[in-house]
């Protein structure tokens, strides 16, 4: 717990997103990036199948994305500001790709509304433009992918 302003991940995605837009990286580029991520997730799922712990899929997907030359951060702390205090406990982003796409990974029998709400909350808190909820506990991975747009991002 730290007192004062929130210097951490908040605005990180917004800064990365603004920088990319200034370089001509528009919404179609976000589409291309999420398609690349989904392609690598499908490769991981095809190799491993369903039924493994979430951490296994996270490690393998991060490896695949890095092989593609993408910048990946694992288990990124997402602090919250509460009554003037910064708390670093509790919130961790599974994977953050290129500073703009937030990945929330699951290995559950059924994705529930609370999982989508969690991703949207993380997107808003980090000011990221787009996120993917990927559930690896399905027969065909395409059935386990949800793309979420943060309408409040910069």
């Amino acid at each position: 717990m730290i007192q004062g302003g929130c210097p951490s991940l908040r605005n990180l995605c917004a800064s990365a997103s603004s920088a990319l837009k200034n370089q001509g990286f528009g919404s179609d580029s976000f589409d291309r990036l999420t398609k690349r991520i989904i392609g690598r997730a499908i490769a991981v799922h095809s190799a491993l199948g369903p039924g493994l712990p979430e951490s296994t899929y996270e490690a393998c997907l991060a490896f695949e994305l890095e092989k593609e030359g993408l910048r990946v951060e694992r288990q990124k702390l997402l602090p919250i500001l509460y009554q003037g205090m910064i708390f670093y406990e509790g919130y961790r982003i599974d994977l953050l790709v290129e500073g703009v796409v937030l990945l929330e990974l699951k290995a559950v029998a059924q994705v529930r509304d609370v999982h989508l709400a969690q991703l949207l909350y993380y997107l808003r808190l980090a000011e990221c433009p787009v996120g993917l909820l990927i559930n690896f506990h399905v027969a065909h991975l395409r059935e386990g992918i949800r793309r979420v747009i943060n309408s409040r991002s910069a």
Side-chain angles (χ1 to χ4, degrees):
M1 177 173 64
I2 300 174
Q3 221 171 346
C6 194
S8 57
L9 187 62
R10 187 183 310 265
N11 297 323
L12 173 68
C13 290
S15 299
S17 180
S18 294
L20 291 171
K21 285 178 184 174
N22 290 339
Q23 297 170 16
F25 194 94
S27 63
D28 61 325
S29 295
F30 289 124
D31 289 342
R32 285 195 305 273
L33 180 56
T34 57
K35 284 179 183 174
R36 285 178 70 188
I37 294 166
I38 290 168
R40 296 295 79 215
I42 289 171
V44 169
H45 188 264
S46 294
L48 300 177
L52 298 173
E54 178 185 310
S55 59
T56 302
Y57 298 111
E58 178 186 314
C60 293
L61 181 55
F63 172 73
E64 285 288 335
L65 295 170
E66 288 169 349
K67 275 190 352 187
E68 288 281 311
L70 297 173
R71 184 171 40 93
V72 179
E73 297 176 75
R74 290 181 62 192
Q75 293 299 312
K76 181 84 173 165
L77 283 173
L78 183 59
I80 61 166
L81 182 61
Y82 178 75
Q83 294 187 2
M85 302 294 288
I86 300 170
F87 294 91
Y88 288 92
E89 296 85 2
Y91 296 120
R92 289 183 184 268
I93 294 172
D94 291 335
L95 296 174
L96 182 62
V97 181
E98 292 294 316
V100 293
V101 180
L102 195 151
L103 304 184
E104 181 61 27
L105 307 180
K106 298 292 179 196
V108 295
Q110 182 179 4
V111 171
R112 304 214 181 265
D113 289 344
V114 69
H115 298 127
L116 286 168
Q118 176 187 17
L119 175 58
L120 188 55
Y121 179 74
Y122 285 1
L123 286 172
R124 288 178 179 164
L125 191 61
E127 298 181 17
C128 279
V130 64
L132 294 171
L133 175 61
I134 304 175
N135 181 23
F136 285 92
H137 193 72
V138 292
H140 303 285
L141 192 62
R142 290 217 180 266
E143 299 165 5
I145 299 172
R146 297 285 301 269
R147 186 172 189 256
V148 178
I149 303 295
N150 178 11
S151 60
R152 296 183 187 176
S153 71

